[in-house]
């Protein structure tokens, strides 16, 4: 059987149907007949030997494999359209305002130099950057680009999701605190320590951790300080008052310098996925397009700079 590369046209038609939620909607938007869309999607399903769409008399729904293939199809369309539009619009200078949302933690780590560099490159583009952990709806809230840091990527019809990096939550403390209180040996030992968290929900928090052998454990933690403001958590941490549960991207510099030590390094949480959500290329303003391209180029490297270190273990 030939590969999927020989069926890129069919993948294109399938992605249109999946993106717009059905044959009729895709036909109205693209002008391609429903019959042609149906025939090409059916041909792709026969070629792959899998069902991509569940058809009923009233609607079309994606199968699990169809959902996954749609993500790749959207990414493919994004890259192809990006190349075409780069050629078509290379002589026009983008301008206008771009609205971005970004978690405060990610904004602190990767946005300062990134935004400054972009503004220098595109002086006619204005940036409205909303640093918040609130989940905005890109359509109703008129968001052009959403940067998100979550355990699951957000998949929304009509939008492209591009992964930028990932992070895991780890336990950290100062050497002074561990010298005074002793380092925990078992996950259950954390109940004897004051714990800090950047998640400001109830003080009784439930965390899933996995060790180096793949063994999973649920930590029911009584959080002494639950606060989204990193400056406050950091001050408590460096006042040697407890152990913090933090994404590793925020600890990189302090771990390298020895100001913080990773506690229970064999345990880590499911990864947090840094990803960018933005509309498909169709109808995207030039200012948004160039910022998407810029983030695609720059953000993965900036996230990677904040991840990866040699574990500092208590001696």
């Amino acid at each position: 059987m030939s590969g999927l590369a020989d069926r890129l046209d069919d993948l294109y038609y399938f992605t249109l149907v999946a993106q717009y939620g059905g044959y009729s909607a895709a036909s109205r938007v693209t002008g391609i007949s429903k019959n042609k869309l149906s025939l090409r999607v059916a041909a792709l399903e026969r070629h792959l030997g899998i069902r991509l769409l569940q058809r009923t008399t009233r609607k079309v729904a994606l199968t699990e494999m169809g959902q996954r293939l749609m993500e790749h199809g959207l990414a493919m369309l994004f890259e192809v359209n990006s190349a075409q539009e780069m050629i078509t619009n290379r002589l026009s200078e983008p301008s206008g305002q771009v609205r971005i949302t970004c978690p405060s933690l990610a904004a602190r780590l990767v946005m300062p130099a990134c935004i400054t560099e972009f503004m220098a490159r595109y002086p006619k583009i204005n940036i409205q950057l909303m640093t918040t952990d609130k989940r905005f709806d890109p359509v109703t809230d008129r968001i052009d680009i959403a940067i998100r840091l979550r355990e699951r990527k957000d998949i929304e019809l009509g939008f492209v999701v591009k992964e930028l990096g990932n992070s895991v939550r780890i336990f950290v403390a100062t050497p002074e605190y561990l010298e005074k209180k002793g380092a925990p040996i078992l996950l259950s030992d954390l109940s004897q320590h004051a714990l800090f968290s950047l998640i400001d929900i109830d003080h009784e928090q439930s965390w899933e951790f996995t060790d180096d052998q793949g063994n999973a454990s649920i930590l029911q933690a009584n959080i002494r300080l639950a606060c989204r403001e990193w400056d406050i958590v950091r001050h408590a941490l460096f006042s040697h008052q407890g152990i913090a549960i933090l994404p590793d991207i925020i600890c990189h510099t302090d771990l390298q310098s020895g100001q913080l030590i990773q506690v229970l390094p064999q345990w880590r949480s499911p990864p947090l996925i840094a990803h960018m959500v933005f509309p498909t290329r169709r109808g995207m303003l030039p200012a948004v397009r160039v910022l998407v391209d810029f983030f695609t180029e720059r953000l993965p490297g900036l996230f990677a700079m904040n991840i990866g270190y040699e574990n500092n273990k208590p001696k």
Side-chain angles (χ1 to χ4, degrees):
M1 182 181 70
S2 57
L4 186 59
D6 297 324
R7 294 281 178 168
L8 292 183
D9 283 350
D10 291 345
L11 177 58
Y12 166 73
Y13 291 115
F14 160 73
T15 303
L16 293 178
V17 174
Q19 175 184 350
Y20 294 110
Y23 295 99
S24 297
S27 180
R28 284 195 302 270
V29 174
T30 64
I32 303 170
S33 70
K34 289 174 56 179
N35 184 55
K36 183 175 183 179
L37 291 170
S38 179
L39 289 174
R40 299 304 292 267
V41 171
L44 180 62
E45 290 181 321
R46 287 196 303 271
H47 177 75
L48 297 176
I50 55 176
R51 178 65 63 87
L52 300 174
L53 298 171
Q54 295 288 1
R55 302 163 181 83
T56 68
T57 57
R58 306 183 68 177
K59 64 178 182 178
V60 172
L62 290 168
T63 64
E64 180 182 357
M65 190 59 68
Q67 178 74 41
R68 294 182 181 181
L69 188 60
M70 182 190 71
E71 295 179 36
H72 291 286
L74 288 173
M76 179 193 71
L77 292 181
F78 167 72
E79 297 298 342
V80 170
N81 291 331
S82 176
Q84 179 61 53
E85 292 181 11
M86 176 190 66
I87 296 170
T88 304
N89 301 301
R90 70 185 186 278
L91 298 180
S92 62
E93 186 176 5
S95 61
Q97 178 172 279
V98 181
R99 287 165 54 86
I100 313 164
T101 63
C102 183
S104 55
L105 175 60
R108 174 186 293 273
L109 293 171
V110 301
M111 282 298 176
C114 192
I115 291 295
T116 302
E117 180 183 345
F118 180 82
M119 289 193 301
R121 187 181 298 186
Y122 296 98
K124 293 185 179 181
I125 296 179
N126 300 322
I127 302 294
Q128 183 180 359
L129 175 61
M130 291 161 279
T131 57
T132 175
D133 295 310
K134 174 186 174 183
R135 188 187 188 282
F136 283 91
D137 179 83
V139 176
T140 58
D141 295 313
R142 298 183 295 109
I143 303 302
D144 297 305
I145 302 172
I147 307 296
R148 293 171 179 169
L149 187 62
R150 297 177 182 164
E151 291 187 6
R152 295 182 180 179
K153 290 186 290 186
D154 293 310
I155 306 298
E156 301 176 44
L157 289 178
F159 290 84
V160 178
V161 178
K162 194 168 191 69
E163 188 168 333
L164 304 170
N166 58 73
S167 173
V168 294
R169 293 186 180 95
I170 59 175
F171 303 104
V172 295
T174 61
E176 292 84 352
Y177 175 83
L178 296 176
E179 182 178 354
K180 178 176 63 176
K181 295 290 187 178
I185 305 300
L186 303 173
L187 202 61
S188 57
D189 294 341
L190 290 172
S191 62
Q192 305 302 315
H193 295 265
L195 299 180
F196 309 147
S197 170
L198 282 172
I199 302 208
D200 60 353
I201 60 175
D202 295 339
H203 283 266
E204 183 70 28
Q205 296 184 12
S206 178
W207 300 85
E208 179 183 349
F209 284 86
T210 305
D211 66 12
D212 294 335
Q213 285 71 48
N215 300 311
S217 181
I218 301 296
L219 173 66
Q220 298 291 342
N222 185 20
I223 303 298
R224 177 82 188 280
L225 174 61
C227 177
R228 289 186 184 271
E229 291 297 328
W230 167 233
D231 289 340
I232 295 175
V233 174
R234 179 181 173 85
H235 192 273
L237 185 60
F238 280 94
S239 295
H240 323 304
Q241 295 190 40
I243 296 173
I245 307 171
L246 300 175
D248 59 359
I249 58 175
I250 205 171
C251 309
H252 173 64
T253 302
D254 292 325
L255 286 164
Q256 281 194 324
S257 67
Q259 291 183 282
L260 289 178
I261 291 176
Q262 185 176 354
V263 177
L264 297 169
Q266 71 274 27
W267 290 97
R268 60 195 64 217
S269 71
L272 297 169
I273 304 170
H275 57 285
M276 175 170 55
V277 180
F278 52 91
T280 57
R281 285 289 182 165
R282 186 180 298 274
M284 184 186 292
L285 295 175
V288 178
R289 182 178 59 250
V290 294
L291 185 51
V292 165
D293 292 340
F294 181 81
F295 280 164
T296 299
E297 171 193 342
R298 296 285 284 113
L299 288 184
L302 291 173
F303 274 107
M305 286 175 58
N306 290 284
I307 301 173
Y309 50 82
E310 293 298 322
N311 291 333
N312 294 287
K313 300 179 181 180
K315 299 178 180 179

